[in-house]
Amino acid sequence: MVILFSFVYVIRASERHNYKINIDYPVTDYKKLNRLINKKINYYQRLFLKEIKDSDVIIWDYYTLFINYDSYTYNDIISYVFFVEYFVGGAHPNHDIFTVNYDTKSNKFIDVNSVKNLNEISEYSRSQLIRDKRVVDTGMLLDGTKPNKENFKNFVFTDNGYLFYFKRYQIAPYSSGDISLLVPYSIEKGKWLAFLFFIFVLMLFLIDKYY
């Protein structure tokens, strides 16, 4: 069972600061899961308040911290992706993403260490994302999809596969927004490479036969 609470804080400081904090987060039946979510939410609140503490923002402007989320379930796993937006001055707000995956049967968290065959996932991601019009810099794409844990740490479990989230500036410019990609579970098992090998062999056969 998952219960949604939406907390909205609106605080106007009379002397120096105006700011608004708006956070939506789930409260579940699992205390261990709730503690981790609260810990992460509190981290962003503390960071936000620390950054604006000594700021010289003009009085009629607002600093803002917004956090919302999406939820997914797959077998015994509950997954959440949290979207963080905070403005503490500058040309535009800053954005961050973090995910939480919890196995309700084993009462354990699942992170990127449980994801196998990052090489295959990396290659598949590149082959799909290169077609996305928001991806305009091949260098950013290649760097942001290198087969390492940092690049693929933000993911959730869905019925159809892993849903990986890429932060702004990771594979595309800020203006492209956050980008996600569904990767079928079969890719992790190596079927993607087997398919590529089949295509390669087929091409060799056709070249030998017709050319």
Side-chain angles (χ1 to χ4, degrees):
M1 180 180 180
V2 178
I3 306 172
L4 171 63
F5 285 86
S6 177
F7 292 87
V8 180
Y9 305 91
V10 180
I11 303 176
R12 293 180 174 85
S14 59
E15 294 184 358
R16 294 194 63 189
H17 297 296
N18 291 336
Y19 65 90
K20 179 179 181 179
I21 299 176
N22 186 328
I23 300 175
D24 292 345
Y25 66 95
V27 177
T28 74
D29 287 341
Y30 305 96
K31 293 182 179 180
K32 187 176 180 179
L33 175 57
N34 292 338
R35 284 197 297 268
L36 180 63
I37 292 174
N38 287 331
K39 181 179 179 180
K40 289 181 174 292
I41 293 294
N42 289 334
Y43 164 78
Y44 283 100
Q45 288 190 80
R46 290 195 301 270
L47 180 63
F48 172 74
L49 293 174
K50 179 180 179 181
E51 289 198 21
I52 69 172
K53 182 178 180 180
D54 299 319
S55 174
D56 57 355
V57 67
I58 53 179
I59 194 65
W60 54 82
D61 272 356
Y62 271 97
Y63 283 133
T64 55
L65 170 63
F66 299 126
I67 302 178
N68 54 50
Y69 74 97
D70 288 331
S71 61
Y72 301 85
T73 57
Y74 174 68
N75 295 335
D76 296 313
I77 301 173
I78 302 175
S79 292
Y80 297 104
V81 54
F82 293 85
F83 304 95
V84 182
E85 176 187 304
Y86 59 100
F87 178 73
V88 291
H92 53 68
N94 297 303
H95 294 80
D96 200 5
I97 296 175
F98 69 90
T99 57
V100 177
N101 298 293
Y102 185 71
D103 188 326
T104 60
K105 188 174 183 179
S106 65
N107 294 315
K108 293 182 179 180
F109 294 103
I110 304 173
D111 59 21
V112 68
N113 291 306
S114 69
V115 179
K116 309 301 181 183
N117 294 329
L118 282 179
N119 287 326
E120 286 83 354
I121 292 175
S122 170
E123 291 300 323
Y124 178 82
S125 299
R126 289 172 174 176
S127 71
Q128 300 301 304
L129 292 169
I130 195 66
R131 308 174 188 175
D132 193 318
K133 294 181 179 180
R134 295 171 296 175
V135 177
V136 296
D137 188 317
T138 303
M140 292 183 71
L141 172 62
L142 293 177
D143 189 58
T145 55
K146 287 181 179 178
N148 59 55
K149 295 177 181 179
E150 180 65 22
N151 281 338
F152 291 94
K153 68 179 182 181
N154 289 311
F155 70 95
V156 295
F157 290 86
T158 76
D159 289 337
N160 299 314
Y162 295 111
L163 185 58
F164 287 95
Y165 289 87
F166 302 95
K167 299 179 182 181
R168 302 185 186 211
Y169 294 119
Q170 182 176 344
I171 62 173
Y174 175 91
S175 57
S176 296
D178 302 321
I179 298 176
S180 61
L181 177 69
L182 182 66
V183 177
Y185 295 121
S186 60
I187 302 302
E188 180 190 29
K189 297 177 182 178
K191 293 183 179 180
W192 170 245
L193 286 184
F195 175 74
L196 287 180
F197 180 75
F198 169 77
I199 296 297
F200 175 73
V201 172
L202 179 61
M203 290 177 63
L204 291 179
F205 171 78
L206 293 175
I207 291 173
D208 181 67
K209 183 174 183 178
Y210 295 104
Y211 294 90

